[in-house]
Amino acid sequence: MITTTGLTKVYQSRDREVTALDGVDLHVREGEVYGVIGQSGAGKSSLIRCVNLLERPTSGTVTVAGQDLTAGSGTSAGSGRAGLPAFGAGAGVRGSRGTTSP
């Protein structure tokens, strides 16, 4: 099970802040499959990168299989993922002919 609560991601640029995610709540039960679609710049990649902790969210929580990945103070991206299955972009991506790539 994957759950996010109040997930927010704000990027800093030289002269402004850009909010990519603003309080996203998501609940995916075991066995469910979802796709993330939207226009360019909508925050799709930011969502996936924050859910799999390749990037730390600015605020909010990410819980996978009952483990709060955002609870620790680990400074390296992905420090809370040890022992969890891979998911997100590149983890069993389906090609146009229905084949699964590694």
Side-chain angles (χ1 to χ4, degrees), residues 36-56:
V36 180
I37 60 173
Q39 295 181 342
S40 178
K44 303 175 300 292
S45 294
S46 294
L47 175 62
I48 298 303
R49 292 178 64 80
C50 284
V51 167
N52 63 21
L53 239 58
L54 290 175
E55 288 187 32
R56 275 243 174 241

Side-chain angles (χ1 to χ4, degrees), residues 17-98:
E17 293 183 341
V18 176
T19 302
L21 305 174
D22 190 9
V24 176
D25 294 333
L26 177 71
H27 186 79
V28 180
R29 290 178 187 87
E30 186 173 342
E32 292 181 325
V33 178
Y34 287 91
V36 180
I37 60 173
Q39 295 181 342
S40 178
K44 303 175 300 292
S45 294
S46 294
L47 175 62
I48 298 303
R49 292 178 64 80
C50 284
V51 167
N52 63 21
L53 239 58
L54 290 175
E55 288 187 32
R56 275 243 174 241
T58 304
S59 64
T61 62
V62 177
T63 305
V64 177
Q67 180 180 350
D68 184 352
L69 303 184
T70 52
S73 60
T75 55
S76 65
S79 61
R81 297 180 304 163
L84 295 174
F87 59 92
V93 176
R94 295 226 172 245
S96 61
R97 296 186 188 265

